[in-house]
Amino acid sequence: MTATVTKDSCQDQSRRTFYKSPFLSIKLFVFCHGLLQLFQLSLSGYLKSSISTIEKRYGMSSQTSGLLASFNEVGNTLLIVFVSYFGSRVHRPRFIGCGALLVSLAGLLISIPHFITEPYKYDKSVASFFSNKTDICQPDALGHNGLPDDETCAPHTEKENRMVLLIMFLGQALLGIGVVPIQPFGISYIDDFASERNSPLYLGILFAVTVIGPGVAFMLGSAMLRFYVDFDKLSKEEIQLTNQDPRWVGAWWLGFLVAASLVALSAIPYFFFPREMPKEVAREKESDAKKSKSMLSQLRSESDAMQDVSLIKFVKLFPTILLRNLRHPVFLLVVLAQVSLSAMVAGLATFMGKFLERQFSLTASFANMIIGAVNIPGAMVGIVLGGAIMKKFQISLKQSGALCVFGMLLCTLFAFPLLFLGCPTQKVAGLYPVESAEFDQHSLECNKRCQCPDKAFNPICGSDGTEYISPCYAGCEVVNLDKLKNSILNYTKCSCILGNGLEGYAKPGTCGTNCSRFLIPFIVLSCLAGILASISHTPSFMLILRTVQPEDKSFAVGIQFMLLRVLAWMPGPVLYGSAIDTTCILWERKCDQKAACRYYNNDLFRQRYLGLQLFFEVGALLCFLAVFFILRQQEREISSAEEPKANPEKEKLAEISEKTPDSKV
């Protein structure tokens, strides 16, 4: 009978083991959360990879696009404060799943403008097989070429532009709200149910993914922008542009659909994870297991006590804890340094692709590939290197401050030469350089008979090395087509282009900046500067965790992230975008208002864009210097306070030495 019972119990136990749900494994949760964070960060960062394309497609200034890029922080900032309060009160996996679905919905919403607007129309001055006379000089034409102003500024056009902006800003706001529960709830869930030995490994994997995600976003942008924006609406014969053409607009919307679909798929498993799961048991001794159980029960009792605090009391306590931490000089200075670095990163990440396109005449696809394959992995190397240095040498607080100072000092030294590694704006007839007054007057006279439209934009490169904003402005009367390749060969009989006393010719497309030799040195120096700046990432976080009171650690980290969002991630892109707009020398105009910029003063663009970078780097360096001196002073005060305790021992040694015969003179 006893044997039978034992056999039955073994069978029941085997059945339980066999039917054990895979969603009770914390390892599966870590795997799912790593995928979700990777896809979510790819979706969040994808807008930055296509920002210059969206500007060109919908006629946005850099200030507007910068505001759009940072608008997801609005919804995020409003809700992030309450995450620490609701942490263990809700079903965290389901909240993560709902947040992921909201992120996916936001990505789909941002792509909607492509489907509700008409196909992309570059100016009617563009040469094509269907209208090959509208972009050339027509001396016999009545009035000016192109469409009249009232047709391009119809009431439905203005309404459509406003609707596009509204949808995109709404999508960004929803994206910020959906992101709120993903990382905090995921980290706390893993920390609660993973073993003490494996928890750091799991969290390290997630932090590594947070760095890889933006790189994947830029690589996705590089792939999607190779396709024409309306490849789903037009036939191949109707697509006249190549990605080398300055009027080219890539399929910016396609990346949002891909990333949103991946986020939606990765959200499904979260609705099957339990609210609580058995804590992971690592290979440890029985005594250690008992200790971990007692610690777990203690943590649960503390969390239960925390749940007794009402929301009103939590809101009342928050300002007190905020002021207490802000009065701590080390905490305040480290947060200010991180604000400077985050504002720099926010601006650089948003507009670096556009900067590379304009400075070195790169395509949007190639610029994104450089950022995703070089700059972002470089930042990841710097973060890992900073953590490895701290682990290897077991550095103190003062040494952590010194490591931050060292990294930022070298970063500033490597970043300074970038101000001089760039290309000036190519010579554009009647536009740049301004000093060529005689040339401007000549170009005005030679195309006066052509009746060129004011809004024409179809850049061509003349045989004299000068760029013209359209064939009409160059006085070109003939366009030569290559029917086999479905492209334009050149323009001839150009009265404004002189060569050997004869009328010159022009090739389609921009002349470019012609200084690609600076591209590789620029990439190398910017990557090194990024690595050195990222070294301070881990030490600065440790300075915060080790200097605040133990009971304020979670709140201090929450305050830190809130201040980074409010002071850096939200205003940073807008500040950079406003600075970039001041360097524009030719604006596209829609309905008598500024739209996207067509030509920049590249020297001013480089100086103001990288000048802001240096400004923030110097600000972070000064803050870390102040932290280092404060910590050194505190260390001296502690050592001086311990000296009186050591004096009695010295006196005893002196008495013993006096009693010995050798001590007598």
Side-chain angles (χ1 to χ4, degrees):
M1 183 70 180
T2 309
T4 306
V5 172
T6 307
K7 185 177 180 181
D8 292 339
S9 62
C10 291
Q11 288 178 351
D12 292 339
Q13 188 175 1
S14 63
R15 286 173 183 172
R16 290 173 187 172
T17 306
F18 181 79
Y19 290 110
K20 182 181 179 181
S21 172
F23 294 98
L24 292 175
S25 171
I26 193 65
K27 291 184 174 64
L28 179 62
F29 184 88
V30 172
F31 175 77
C32 293
H33 205 64
L35 285 181
L36 175 60
Q37 283 199 176
L38 180 65
F39 298 145
Q40 174 259 308
L41 289 166
S42 300
L43 178 57
S44 301
Y46 181 76
L47 180 67
K48 295 179 175 62
S49 71
S50 56
I51 200 74
S52 62
T53 301
I54 294 175
E55 284 181 12
K56 196 183 301 181
R57 174 65 180 90
Y58 296 108
M60 296 182 188
S61 64
S62 294
Q63 185 182 41
T64 303
S65 63
L67 181 62
L68 175 64
S70 62
F71 204 72
N72 63 315
E73 301 294 344
V74 174
N76 198 301
T77 305
L78 293 176
L79 297 177
I80 194 66
V81 176
F82 299 100
V83 170
S84 59
Y85 174 76
F86 289 107
S88 57
R89 299 167 182 260
V90 297
H91 196 301
R92 285 173 288 183
R94 289 181 185 173
F95 261 71
I96 293 172
C98 292
L101 291 179
L102 190 59
V103 168
S104 178
L105 177 63
L108 296 176
L109 187 62
I110 296 173
S111 67
I112 282 180
H114 168 74
F115 301 99
I116 64 174
T117 56
E118 297 179 354
Y120 170 57
K121 293 181 180 179
Y122 32 94
D123 295 319
K124 286 294 182 180
S125 60
V126 174
S128 67
F129 294 123
F130 309 101
S131 57
N132 60 3
K133 291 184 178 180
T134 56
D135 67 341
I136 59 177
C137 178
Q138 302 181 72
D140 299 330
L142 296 176
H144 63 76
N145 297 327
L147 292 173
D149 293 341
D150 56 354
E151 185 174 341
T152 58
C153 191
H156 74 276
T157 304
E158 289 189 74
K159 184 178 180 181
E160 185 179 272
N161 292 337
R162 288 195 296 268
M163 183 63 67
V164 166
L165 286 176
L166 179 62
I167 291 174
M168 286 190 165
F169 275 95
L170 179 61
Q172 279 288 90
L174 289 178
L175 179 62
I177 294 173
V179 168
V180 169
I182 293 178
Q183 189 173 28
F185 283 177
I187 291 175
S188 63
Y189 192 83
I190 292 171
D191 193 53
D192 284 348
F193 302 114
S195 66
E196 286 77 8
R197 179 178 297 179
N198 293 335
S199 180
L201 173 63
Y202 297 154
L203 297 180
I205 292 172
L206 295 184
F207 286 132
V209 169
T210 59
V211 181
I212 298 172
V216 174
F218 279 96
M219 296 303 290
L220 180 64
S222 175
M224 297 300 104
L225 296 181
R226 297 175 188 269
F227 301 98
Y228 184 66
V229 61
D230 292 318
F231 75 90
D232 60 323
K233 300 177 181 179
L234 303 176
S235 63
K236 290 183 178 180
E237 291 74 19
E238 293 178 286
I239 301 174
Q240 300 291 311
L241 301 180
T242 65
N243 60 359
Q244 303 290 333
D245 196 294
R247 298 162 296 165
W248 172 269
V249 173
W252 62 271
W253 52 273
L254 189 57
F256 282 107
L257 293 182
V258 172
S261 301
L262 293 174
V263 171
L265 288 175
S266 62
I268 296 174
Y270 286 89
F271 295 97
F272 298 96
F273 283 106
R275 179 169 181 169
E276 294 182 356
M277 67 169 60
K279 188 173 178 66
E280 184 183 33
V281 179
R283 294 180 180 177
E284 51 190 2
K285 299 178 181 178
E286 292 183 2
S287 58
D288 295 334
K290 291 180 180 179
K291 289 180 181 179
S292 63
K293 287 181 181 179
S294 62
M295 290 175 64
L296 179 60
S297 61
Q298 183 180 356
L299 288 171
R300 285 178 178 174
S301 63
E302 290 177 357
S303 63
D304 293 339
M306 187 64 186
Q307 288 182 10
D308 294 336
V309 179
S310 65
L311 179 61
I312 298 175
K313 189 174 182 181
F314 174 81
V315 173
K316 288 181 179 179
L317 288 174
F318 186 78
T320 305
I321 301 172
L322 175 64
L323 291 175
R324 185 167 67 210
N325 285 289
L326 290 180
R327 287 172 185 168
H328 197 296
V330 174
F331 175 81
L332 180 61
L333 287 169
V334 172
V335 169
L336 287 177
Q338 290 184 340
V339 164
S340 297
L341 291 176
S342 297
M344 178 191 72
V345 171
L348 291 179
T350 305
F351 295 108
M352 178 58 82
K354 182 175 185 176
F355 176 82
L356 294 175
E357 292 173 38
R358 298 289 181 166
Q359 287 289 318
F360 303 105
S361 298
L362 305 180
T363 63
S365 176
F366 186 53
N368 282 328
M369 187 178 68
I370 291 174
I371 298 170
V374 179
N375 292 86
I376 292 179
M380 183 173 65
V381 169
I383 294 174
V384 173
L385 184 60
I389 292 173
M390 291 195 69
K391 182 179 179 181
K392 175 70 174 177
F393 299 101
Q394 297 293 318
I395 60 178
S396 63
L397 282 180
K398 187 184 77 170
Q399 291 169 336
S400 297
L403 181 59
C404 293
V405 171
F406 178 74
M408 288 311 305
L409 179 61
L410 290 181
C411 170
T412 306
L413 293 177
F414 277 101
F416 182 74
L418 296 177
L419 288 171
F420 310 99
L421 290 177
C423 312
T425 305
Q426 63 270 28
K427 190 175 184 181
V428 184
L431 184 65
Y432 188 87
V434 183
E435 299 83 31
S436 56
E438 295 181 0
F439 181 81
D440 294 348
Q441 183 64 28
H442 170 70
S443 64
L444 179 65
E445 292 296 330
C446 67
N447 62 28
K448 197 171 185 180
R449 60 191 177 87
C450 298
Q451 302 294 326
C452 299
D454 295 334
K455 296 183 178 181
F457 183 68
N458 178 17
I460 61 172
C461 185
S463 55
D464 57 352
T466 301
E467 187 169 318
Y468 299 82
I469 61 175
S470 77
C472 185
Y473 274 87
C476 301
E477 298 183 20
V478 179
V479 56
N480 301 303
L481 306 174
D482 185 349
K483 295 183 179 180
L484 294 177
K485 295 182 178 180
N486 192 23
S487 61
I488 300 170
L489 284 175
N490 55 27
Y491 301 89
T492 55
K493 290 189 178 181
C494 303
S495 58
C496 296
I497 305 174
L498 301 178
N500 298 325
L502 301 174
E503 291 183 345
Y505 66 93
K507 294 182 178 180
T510 179
C511 292
T513 52
N514 295 322
C515 66
S516 57
R517 63 188 183 277
F518 291 138
L519 177 60
I520 294 179
F522 182 91
I523 293 173
V524 171
L525 285 177
S526 63
C527 183
L528 288 175
I531 292 173
L532 292 168
S534 301
I535 287 177
S536 64
H537 183 271
T538 304
S540 62
F541 270 98
M542 295 309 299
L543 285 171
I544 289 177
L545 294 175
R546 292 181 184 178
T547 53
V548 298
Q549 297 181 16
E551 64 271 17
D552 289 346
K553 281 186 179 182
S554 59
F555 287 100
V557 174
I559 292 167
Q560 173 199 12
F561 281 108
M562 185 188 70
L563 292 176
L564 290 180
R565 285 182 170 87
V566 173
L567 301 179
W569 294 107
M570 287 174 63
V574 181
L575 178 63
Y576 272 83
S578 301
I580 292 171
D581 283 341
T582 61
T583 66
C584 184
I585 56 179
L586 179 64
W587 288 95
E588 175 191 3
R589 303 200 69 89
K590 288 186 177 180
C591 302
D592 294 328
Q593 294 181 352
K594 291 180 180 179
C597 183
R598 286 173 168 167
Y599 286 102
Y600 290 95
N601 184 325
N602 280 357
D603 291 326
L604 287 178
F605 191 168
R606 183 176 64 256
Q607 292 165 6
R608 293 178 185 177
Y609 180 73
L610 298 178
L612 276 175
Q613 176 187 352
L614 276 175
F615 171 78
F616 287 123
E617 287 172 350
V618 171
L621 175 61
L622 294 177
C623 290
F624 282 134
L625 270 174
V627 168
F628 173 74
F629 286 121
I630 291 174
L631 292 174
R632 189 176 70 171
Q633 182 64 29
Q634 290 179 353
E635 191 176 274
R636 287 178 177 177
E637 291 176 356
I638 292 173
S639 60
S640 62
E642 291 177 351
E643 281 183 3
K645 297 179 181 179
N647 285 337
E649 296 180 359
K650 291 182 179 179
E651 291 177 358
K652 289 181 180 180
L653 291 173
E655 292 177 358
I656 294 172
S657 62
E658 287 178 359
K659 293 179 181 179
T660 58
D662 296 338
S663 64
K664 295 180 181 180
V665 180

